[in-house]
Amino acid sequence: MEADFDVGQRLRGVREMHSLSQRELAKRAGVTNGTISLIEQNRVSPSIGSLRKVLQGIPMALSDFFALDAVPRQKVFFAAEELLEIAGAGGISYQQVGRDLGERALQILHERYAPRSDTGKTLLRHESEEGGVVIRGQLEITVGDQRRLLGPGDAYYFDSRLPHRFRNPGDEECEVVSACTPPSF
Amino acid sequence: MEADFDVGQRLRGVREMHSLSQRELAKRAGVTNGTISLIEQNRVSPSIGSLRKVLQGIPMALSDFFALDAVPRQKVFFAAEELLEIAGAGGISYQQVGRDLGERALQILHERYAPRSDTGKTLLRHESEEGGVVIRGQLEITVGDQRRLLGPGDAYYFDSRLPHRFRNPGDEECEVVSACTPPSF
DNA sequence: TTCTATTGTTTAATATTTTAAACGATTAAT
DNA sequence: ATTAATCGTTTAAAATATTAAACAATAGAA
């Protein structure tokens, strides 16, 4: 069960996160400040109706409110050296943010393409979407029958089911940050 | 928001899915059958305490009970100038890859933080996950009770339901590429 | 039919939440 | 020090939820 789900503590936390006083929130929610005080002290167990009114003043959905305790505490920060190096063929380096891919909805990669490197003809991925931004150097991307040369600041986004290919045609290393959902490998 | 969330109808549905009579569920939950009848008819707005007791008899978590809402040839290439500038408060610039957010499962941003810029105290987002890589400069990130100063090549990843804040404490502009799924604004 | 068991509903009494207003504490300005 | 404003807390009264018990309807068995 949600062992120590503490409605009062959670409401107080949420309210304070939004820099609202009890009175301010009460006014927005259409309840009295006393109600909020009592709820936050767990001196009452609010009705669904009044809790919903209170959360509307934030605003926050009931589902999000009750899902807060389901948020696991996981590793958030990753030093550059901590990024997971993924098998990169011929001059291509993929550094992944986070190791435990199974848990995550998003795969974020810091990619580096050596001069003349190429991901190969084509590859089909699972059903997913991906995109990225070119940071440095040049990258030629082919998606379906479209081809384009991108430079720093340029970006792409496509459905991964389309055949695609990445190539660095220049003499300089190319650097890209990309994201894919759901993770594809 | 959960516009017309109907507690009674939802409870009745859940109960019937589990082939429980009102009395049977009441016994397991430690409430009276009348209570369940009144709730299912929406003649009362149950307290969190009693609704939790009722759901324990199923059993079902409150977060699951309230969680109804679901989470899902177009333009592929975007020149740097084509990226959509999103309202960035005080010295913060967001450039979004692609304009039609509704269609996409992924929001990718090229962000620039002016020296001393700050996203503000904290904000809670909807249920989603986000992460990014710092390209240039320094960025101080606070997530829940964790804080860290990230430099070029460093990265982050977290559940967006946690309160978070981004700040550029340095004298140099900070550049970040981030991704979020599903899009949050 | 008649009995028994089960179903969901209703109602008066009880328990709890919610309100409205007052209270004391804190901060900032004069 | 003294206002004035704002904060969170408290309390008696009002509003609402919950209980316990009775009610009505259905279904199956004797």
Side-chain angles (χ1 to χ4, degrees), chain B residues 23 32 35 38 44-47 50:
Chain B
R23 281 182 167 81
T32 63
T35 298
L38 293 172
V44 297
S45 176
S47 72
S50 67

Coordinates of all heavy atoms in Angstrom, one line a residue, chain B residues 23 32 35 38 44-47 50, chain D residues 16-24:
Chain B
R23 N -22.0 -5.1 -0.2 CA -21.7 -5.6 1.2 C -20.4 -6.3 1.3 O -19.7 -6.2 2.3 CB -22.9 -6.6 1.6 CG -24.1 -5.8 2.0 CD -25.2 -6.8 2.5 NE -26.3 -6.2 3.2 CZ -27.3 -5.5 2.6 NH1 -27.3 -5.4 1.3 NH2 -28.2 -4.9 3.3
T32 N -19.6 0.5 6.0 CA -20.9 -0.1 5.8 C -21.3 -0.1 4.4 O -20.8 0.7 3.6 CB -22.0 0.6 6.6 OG1 -22.1 1.9 6.1 CG2 -21.6 0.7 8.1
T35 N -22.6 3.1 3.0 CA -21.6 4.1 2.6 C -21.3 3.9 1.1 O -21.3 4.9 0.3 CB -20.3 4.0 3.4 OG1 -20.7 4.2 4.8 CG2 -19.3 4.9 3.0
L38 N -24.2 5.0 -1.1 CA -24.3 6.5 -1.2 C -23.1 7.1 -2.1 O -23.4 8.0 -2.9 CB -24.2 7.1 0.1 CG -25.5 6.8 1.0 CD1 -25.3 7.3 2.4 CD2 -26.7 7.4 0.4
V44 N -22.9 11.5 -1.8 CA -22.0 12.1 -0.8 C -20.6 12.2 -1.6 O -20.4 11.5 -2.6 CB -21.8 11.3 0.4 CG1 -23.1 11.2 1.2 CG2 -21.3 9.9 0.1
S45 N -19.8 13.0 -1.0 CA -18.4 13.1 -1.5 C -17.5 12.5 -0.4 O -17.3 13.2 0.6 CB -18.0 14.6 -1.8 OG -16.7 14.7 -2.2
P46 N -17.1 11.3 -0.6 CA -16.4 10.6 0.5 C -15.2 11.3 1.0 O -14.5 12.0 0.2 CB -16.1 9.2 -0.1 CG -16.0 9.5 -1.5 CD -17.1 10.5 -1.8
S47 N -14.8 11.1 2.2 CA -13.5 11.6 2.7 C -12.4 10.8 2.1 O -12.6 9.6 1.7 CB -13.5 11.6 4.2 OG -13.3 10.3 4.7
S50 N -12.1 7.5 4.0 CA -13.0 6.4 3.8 C -12.8 5.9 2.3 O -13.0 4.7 2.1 CB -14.5 6.8 4.0 OG -14.9 7.7 3.1
Chain D
dT16 P -23.9 21.4 2.8 OP1 -23.4 21.9 1.6 OP2 -25.3 21.2 3.1 O5' -23.2 20.0 3.1 C5' -21.8 20.0 3.2 C4' -21.3 18.6 3.8 O4' -21.8 18.5 5.2 C3' -21.9 17.4 3.1 O3' -20.9 16.7 2.5 C2' -22.6 16.6 4.2 C1' -22.0 17.1 5.4 N1 -22.7 17.0 6.7 C2 -22.2 16.3 7.7 O2 -21.2 15.7 7.7 N3 -23.0 16.2 8.8 C4 -24.3 16.9 9.0 O4 -24.9 16.8 10.1 C5 -24.7 17.7 7.9 C7 -26.0 18.4 8.0 C6 -24.0 17.7 6.8
dA17 P -21.1 15.3 1.7 OP1 -20.2 15.3 0.6 OP2 -22.5 15.1 1.5 O5' -20.6 14.3 2.8 C5' -19.2 14.4 3.2 C4' -18.9 13.3 4.3 O4' -19.8 13.5 5.4 C3' -19.1 11.9 3.8 O3' -18.0 11.1 4.5 C2' -20.5 11.5 4.4 C1' -20.5 12.3 5.7 N9 -21.9 12.7 6.1 C8 -22.8 13.4 5.4 N7 -23.9 13.7 6.0 C5 -23.7 13.1 7.3 C6 -24.5 13.0 8.4 N6 -25.7 13.5 8.5 N1 -24.0 12.3 9.5 C2 -22.8 11.7 9.4 N3 -21.9 11.8 8.3 C4 -22.4 12.4 7.3
dT18 P -17.9 9.5 4.1 OP1 -16.5 9.2 4.1 OP2 -18.7 9.3 2.8 O5' -18.6 8.8 5.3 C5' -18.0 8.8 6.6 C4' -18.8 8.0 7.5 O4' -20.1 8.7 7.7 C3' -19.2 6.6 7.1 O3' -18.6 5.7 7.9 C2' -20.7 6.5 7.1 C1' -21.1 7.7 8.0 N1 -22.4 8.4 7.6 C2 -23.3 8.5 8.6 O2 -23.2 8.1 9.7 N3 -24.5 9.2 8.2 C4 -24.8 9.7 6.9 O4 -25.8 10.2 6.6 C5 -23.7 9.5 5.9 C7 -23.9 10.0 4.5 C6 -22.6 8.9 6.3
dT19 P -18.9 4.1 7.8 OP1 -17.7 3.3 8.3 OP2 -19.5 3.8 6.5 O5' -20.1 3.9 8.9 C5' -19.9 4.4 10.2 C4' -21.2 4.3 11.0 O4' -22.2 5.1 10.5 C3' -21.7 2.8 11.1 O3' -21.8 2.4 12.4 C2' -23.1 2.9 10.4 C1' -23.4 4.4 10.5 N1 -24.2 5.0 9.4 C2 -25.5 5.6 9.7 O2 -25.9 5.6 10.8 N3 -26.1 6.1 8.6 C4 -25.7 6.1 7.3 O4 -26.3 6.6 6.4 C5 -24.4 5.5 7.1 C7 -23.8 5.5 5.7 C6 -23.7 5.0 8.1
dA20 P -21.9 0.9 12.8 OP1 -21.2 0.7 14.1 OP2 -21.4 0.1 11.6 O5' -23.4 0.6 13.0 C5' -24.1 1.5 13.9 C4' -25.6 1.2 13.8 O4' -26.1 1.9 12.6 C3' -26.0 -0.2 13.6 O3' -27.1 -0.5 14.5 C2' -26.5 -0.3 12.2 C1' -26.9 1.1 11.9 N9 -26.8 1.5 10.5 C8 -25.8 1.1 9.6 N7 -25.9 1.7 8.4 C5 -27.1 2.4 8.5 C6 -27.8 3.2 7.6 N6 -27.3 3.4 6.3 N1 -28.9 3.9 8.0 C2 -29.3 3.7 9.3 N3 -28.7 3.0 10.2 C4 -27.6 2.3 9.8
dA21 P -27.7 -1.9 14.7 OP1 -28.0 -2.1 16.1 OP2 -26.9 -2.9 13.9 O5' -29.1 -1.8 13.9 C5' -29.9 -0.6 14.2 C4' -31.0 -0.5 13.1 O4' -30.4 0.0 11.9 C3' -31.7 -1.8 12.7 O3' -33.1 -1.7 12.9 C2' -31.3 -2.1 11.3 C1' -31.0 -0.6 10.8 N9 -30.2 -0.6 9.6 C8 -29.0 -1.3 9.4 N7 -28.5 -1.0 8.3 C5 -29.3 -0.1 7.7 C6 -29.3 0.6 6.4 N6 -28.3 0.4 5.5 N1 -30.3 1.4 6.2 C2 -31.2 1.6 7.1 N3 -31.4 1.0 8.3 C4 -30.4 0.2 8.5
dA22 P -34.1 -3.0 12.7 OP1 -34.9 -3.0 14.0 OP2 -33.3 -4.1 12.3 O5' -35.0 -2.5 11.5 C5' -35.6 -1.1 11.6 C4' -35.9 -0.7 10.2 O4' -34.7 -0.6 9.4 C3' -36.9 -1.6 9.5 O3' -37.9 -0.8 8.9 C2' -36.0 -2.3 8.4 C1' -35.0 -1.2 8.1 N9 -33.8 -1.7 7.5 C8 -32.9 -2.6 8.0 N7 -31.9 -2.8 7.2 C5 -32.1 -2.0 6.2 C6 -31.3 -1.7 5.0 N6 -30.2 -2.3 4.7 N1 -31.8 -0.8 4.2 C2 -32.9 -0.1 4.5 N3 -33.7 -0.3 5.5 C4 -33.2 -1.2 6.3
dC23 P -39.2 -1.5 8.3 OP1 -40.4 -0.6 8.6 OP2 -39.2 -2.9 8.6 O5' -38.9 -1.3 6.7 C5' -38.8 0.0 6.1 C4' -38.4 -0.2 4.6 O4' -37.0 -0.7 4.6 C3' -39.2 -1.2 3.9 O3' -40.1 -0.5 3.0 C2' -38.2 -2.1 3.2 C1' -36.9 -1.4 3.4 N1 -35.7 -2.3 3.5 C2 -34.7 -2.3 2.6 O2 -34.8 -1.6 1.6 N3 -33.7 -3.2 2.7 C4 -33.6 -4.0 3.8 N4 -32.5 -4.8 3.9 C5 -34.6 -3.9 4.8 C6 -35.6 -3.1 4.6
dA24 P -41.2 -1.3 2.2 OP1 -42.3 -0.4 1.9 OP2 -41.5 -2.6 2.9 O5' -40.5 -1.7 0.8 C5' -39.9 -0.7 0.1 C4' -39.2 -1.3 -1.2 O4' -38.0 -1.9 -0.7 C3' -40.0 -2.4 -1.9 O3' -40.0 -2.1 -3.3 C2' -39.4 -3.7 -1.5 C1' -37.9 -3.3 -1.2 N9 -37.2 -4.1 -0.3 C8 -37.6 -4.5 0.9 N7 -36.7 -5.3 1.6 C5 -35.6 -5.3 0.7 C6 -34.4 -5.9 0.8 N6 -34.0 -6.6 1.8 N1 -33.6 -5.8 -0.3 C2 -34.0 -5.0 -1.3 N3 -35.1 -4.4 -1.5 C4 -35.9 -4.6 -0.5

